[in-house]
Amino acid sequence: MPFYSYFDEPENYRDPFGFYEQGGSPSLLQEFINTIEKDKNNIEEINISWYLFNNQYLYNYLKEVAAIGIKVNVITIPLEGYDNNNPKALKNLETETKTEERFTKYNLARKIFGETYRSTSHKNFNLYIFSHLYVRSANIKKFSRGTLPYSLHIKSAYIKKKNGYLVLMSSSNLAVRDLVKYESMISIENEPGYEETAKAFYKNLIENSIPIKAYKSSLNTTCNMFEKVAYKFSGSMYISAPFYENSANNLEKKLLKHIASATHRIIICAQHLAAFNYDFNANHHSTIDKNEIRQGILGMILKIANNGVRVTCLSQTFAPLPNNENKFKNAKFRKPVNTRNFQKFYGQLQQTDNIEYYVNNNIHSKYIIIDHILIFCSYNFTPTQFIYLDNVKIDKFKNMSNVSYTGIHCEVGIHAIIKDPAMVAAFENNAMDIIRKKNTIQVK
């Protein structure tokens, strides 16, 4: 079987609100390791691009794999992008003991970064830093982790075997100091249509990253320009990245085309659903010369529902309309950053038939089911993900007068299109299971 799916959730753990030494998804971490372990003798190279890389268990395992001759490349964001606030004790999942010392994501990553930086013995283990920032507005506030946000919001691996390949994709950061959420992971093995895209992406990503031993904290990351790489993606996998020209803009077009093709049902699940009625600022693009308001994928979903397609939305974020806030005053949910825009979407959704909307504070998976296909995503459905601007110039930020930015706005994202009936059924069952949870509320 070329496709495999894995799921994790808070209910799998005795303490669903604990911070585990094994990370925010211990079950998925073990499945990740098992997938490599069962075919370890056939593996030549492991390439891992993980937004956060501070899991000592994963790091130790990859060092062991490298020690037997397998080349391991890990690409992550700079240390500055790891949260250094509010240190907490960690619990060991197996012994249920707690550490006396308290840790932040930054502390844990710094230990791994420092060891790799100083080491002379890990000859097959390579750690790379992808330092690209993505910014498109002077109104942005100081980011919670570092000054400005880093774009490598991706969790995937391409594994080259002597005979064949593996692609792994996950919604989970596997990060220590993340809480357990509703997460998912897929494995694609030796299936035609995926390897060429994944292989090329990792080659391009490493070429545009900095080896940890050459990385300096004094590097100016507020000037981000890349040589544009021409690449033709397959119909089964698509990747957006700052070195792929207009890739994020084209990503939206591809998703819109898929959604528009729906004939009977759509299930969309993500931490954030917010790509609706947003600005595209052509002043920051070198060839597109027209500003526009994009209705986004949520606008297309409203249109499709009005045409009779049954739509189910699941999200972590929600903002009630001002006139019905009392109805949800006891419900737990995270509000979207752009509350006003979400309320415009929700207002239209309330007037639309054929749509159900569910909110659960623990959702972190990201996928869409359209009729009989699954689109598994590394990204949230926000305006940020679907905008590519290659000529951003911001001399001064409204809330950070001493900071400037010049470069490309593009978040790194990946999705895979899967038509395997068993995979589609597994994710449909996952969505229905979340809907049945006691802490899930229906808002439409």
Side-chain angles (χ1 to χ4, degrees):
M1 181 177 173
F3 299 103
Y4 300 88
S5 59
Y6 312 93
F7 302 94
D8 206 357
E9 60 180 55
E11 288 82 357
N12 288 343
Y13 304 92
R14 183 170 294 181
D15 181 7
F17 303 108
F19 295 107
Y20 291 105
E21 289 183 347
Q22 290 86 348
S25 297
S27 174
L28 295 188
L29 171 66
Q30 193 56 55
E31 294 291 358
F32 186 93
I33 291 172
N34 291 346
T35 299
I36 296 173
E37 191 66 19
K38 71 181 182 181
D39 209 13
K40 187 168 61 177
N41 294 332
N42 192 31
I43 292 175
E44 294 182 338
E45 184 175 299
I46 298 172
N47 298 279
I48 297 176
S49 173
W50 234 259
Y51 173 51
L52 300 177
F53 188 72
N54 73 345
N55 191 312
Q56 191 72 38
Y57 281 73
L58 177 58
Y59 174 56
N60 289 343
Y61 177 73
L62 293 174
K63 284 193 298 181
E64 292 174 9
V65 167
I68 64 171
I70 297 173
K71 186 176 181 180
V72 177
N73 299 315
V74 176
I75 308 99
T76 187
I77 65 172
L79 193 58
E80 183 206 24
Y82 291 76
D83 193 347
N84 198 25
N85 298 315
N86 197 18
K88 296 285 187 181
L90 304 178
K91 179 181 284 189
N92 187 290
L93 183 65
E94 297 170 357
T95 65
E96 295 194 353
T97 57
K98 276 192 173 183
T99 60
E100 293 185 9
E101 189 177 353
R102 294 173 177 267
F103 300 92
T104 65
K105 290 180 181 178
Y106 177 93
N107 299 148
L108 297 157
R110 185 179 182 185
K111 180 182 177 183
I112 293 171
F113 281 38
E115 179 185 327
T116 310
Y117 181 83
R118 294 186 297 270
S119 174
T120 57
S121 59
H122 303 336
K123 66 176 183 178
N124 291 316
F125 184 91
N126 305 297
L127 182 63
Y128 295 91
I129 305 300
F130 187 70
S131 60
H132 177 254
L133 298 160
Y134 65 102
V135 185
R136 63 186 173 96
S137 170
N139 296 322
I140 190 172
K141 295 180 181 178
K142 187 178 186 300
F143 202 57
S144 59
R145 301 177 296 279
T147 303
L148 296 171
Y150 288 98
S151 68
L152 193 72
H153 195 249
I154 192 171
K155 287 80 68 174
S156 74
Y158 164 64
I159 298 171
K160 180 183 177 183
K161 299 192 292 185
K162 296 171 186 175
N163 299 296
Y165 79 95
L166 279 166
V167 167
L168 287 154
M169 292 172 56
S170 178
S171 63
S172 173
N173 293 308
L174 303 180
V176 183
R177 278 297 314 278
D178 272 353
L179 289 170
V180 180
K181 302 287 186 183
Y182 295 110
E183 304 276 16
S184 49
M185 184 173 75
I186 65 169
S187 171
I188 304 171
E189 185 173 8
N190 301 336
E191 181 72 7
Y194 300 90
E195 184 181 18
E196 184 181 356
T197 298
K199 182 179 179 180
F201 166 66
Y202 273 96
K203 176 179 180 292
N204 299 148
L205 183 62
I206 289 172
E207 288 172 344
N208 285 286
S209 299
I210 303 170
I212 185 67
K213 292 183 185 296
Y215 189 84
K216 306 295 182 185
S217 59
S218 59
L219 176 72
N220 178 17
T221 59
T222 59
C223 183
N224 288 257
M225 302 304 292
F226 294 91
E227 291 290 330
K228 293 173 182 176
V229 180
Y231 190 75
K232 184 179 180 180
F233 296 99
S234 74
S236 301
M237 179 175 282
Y238 189 87
I239 297 171
S240 63
F243 40 79
Y244 295 142
E245 185 174 10
N246 284 325
S247 52
N249 299 331
N250 292 330
L251 172 62
E252 182 181 58
K253 292 177 183 177
K254 289 180 178 294
L255 274 185
L256 289 174
K257 186 176 180 180
H258 281 294
I259 293 169
S261 72
T263 59
H264 67 278
R265 61 120 181 227
I266 292 175
I267 300 172
I268 181 166
C269 176
Q271 181 185 17
H272 304 299
L273 295 179
F276 176 73
N277 198 39
Y278 59 88
D279 295 324
F280 178 85
N281 186 352
N283 297 327
H284 289 321
H285 199 284
S286 61
T287 58
I288 299 174
D289 58 6
K290 183 181 178 182
N291 293 345
E292 62 178 334
I293 302 295
R294 293 181 173 179
Q295 290 302 296
I297 66 167
L298 297 185
M300 180 61 77
I301 281 174
L302 292 173
K303 180 179 178 181
I304 288 296
N306 279 321
N307 289 340
V309 174
R310 179 168 47 89
V311 176
T312 302
C313 301
L314 298 92
S315 175
Q316 181 192 114
T317 50
F318 172 68
L321 298 171
N323 60 0
N324 65 358
E325 284 184 342
N326 285 337
K327 181 179 177 181
F328 302 107
K329 65 181 180 181
N330 295 321
K332 280 187 71 175
F333 50 79
R334 180 176 171 183
K335 286 194 174 184
V337 174
N338 192 333
T339 300
R340 184 179 298 178
N341 246 27
F342 182 88
Q343 287 175 334
K344 289 179 181 178
F345 163 67
Y346 182 59
Q348 290 194 30
L349 180 142
Q350 289 283 62
Q351 306 302 316
T352 304
D353 293 332
N354 303 315
I355 292 187
E356 296 177 326
Y357 198 114
Y358 298 89
V359 180
N360 187 300
N361 205 42
N362 295 318
I363 289 174
H364 199 254
S365 278
K366 303 149 181 47
Y367 58 84
I368 309 177
I369 296 171
I370 302 172
D371 294 338
H372 301 297
I373 69 168
L374 167 71
I375 303 180
F376 186 87
C377 310
S378 74
Y379 51 81
N380 283 301
F381 305 109
T382 65
T384 294
Q385 180 58 54
F386 304 115
I387 292 179
Y388 181 101
L389 301 166
D390 64 347
N391 194 31
V392 179
K393 293 181 180 179
I394 300 173
D395 295 328
K396 186 170 66 173
F397 289 86
K398 183 177 179 180
N399 301 292
M400 297 172 285
S401 58
N402 61 331
V403 178
S404 64
Y405 180 81
T406 301
I408 296 169
H409 174 284
C410 182
E411 192 171 356
V412 182
I414 180 172
H415 74 229
I417 298 172
I418 297 169
K419 298 179 181 179
D420 180 75
M423 286 285 280
V424 176
F427 278 86
E428 180 181 9
N429 291 337
N430 176 250
M432 296 306 107
D433 184 54
I434 294 173
I435 286 172
R436 290 190 292 266
K437 299 296 183 184
K438 291 181 179 179
N439 57 342
T440 298
I441 61 171
Q442 183 172 3
V443 297
K444 169 65 166 71

